[in-house]
Amino acid sequence: MALADAVRLTCPDCGQGNRVPVDRLAEGPKCAVCGAALADGRVAELDAATHDKATRNDGLPVLVDYWAPWCGPCRMMAPEFAKAAKALAPGVRLMKLNTEDHPQVSARAGIRGIPALILYRNGREVARLAGARPAADIVAFVRQNLG
């Protein structure tokens, strides 16, 4: 397997970087260290360090939902975000970052209101979407911005 045939995926549970063959993404790859699923269509909760590794280093696009537990629209959007994660897997990974627990990350990302979605690809921000959205809008936003 050539390096071009594999993507790097950061484990949302332990932060370990994993090389995954592109043609095996749909098979449900697991972290080599902790065994957590890497691209199974579930939304992963991130801490600050894992957020930084995934958004900078991952070979697949990452859509991060910046949210807080006290935010009503954030809580209302959570099931829609989960539906979008299933629809976009395994080619895009959807993750969440609690802005209350990690204010330094949200400040660095320039988050002014929540919920806020930021799409990252190849270590760079590609696009932003503000406000609570239904799954169809989230999927359309990602597809439109990834081409």
Side-chain angles (χ1 to χ4, degrees), residues 21-102:
V22 172
D23 59 357
R24 301 198 65 193
L25 283 170
E27 297 174 19
K30 299 201 181 306
C31 177
V33 173
C34 73
L38 296 173
D40 65 346
R42 282 187 285 156
V43 176
E45 183 73 38
L46 300 174
D47 62 22
T50 308
H51 167 277
D52 291 349
K53 282 183 186 176
T55 57
R56 288 184 187 142
N57 303 325
D58 274 20
L60 291 178
V62 175
L63 180 65
V64 180
D65 173 17
Y66 296 86
W67 73 288
W70 50 262
C71 168
C74 297
R75 289 194 317 271
M76 284 178 17
M77 189 178 75
E80 295 299 306
F81 196 68
K83 285 181 201 170
K86 290 279 187 210
L88 293 165
V92 179
R93 300 200 311 159
L94 275 64
M95 303 177 172
K96 296 174 78 87
L97 181 100
N98 183 333
T99 59
E100 193 169 275
D101 290 347
H102 306 287

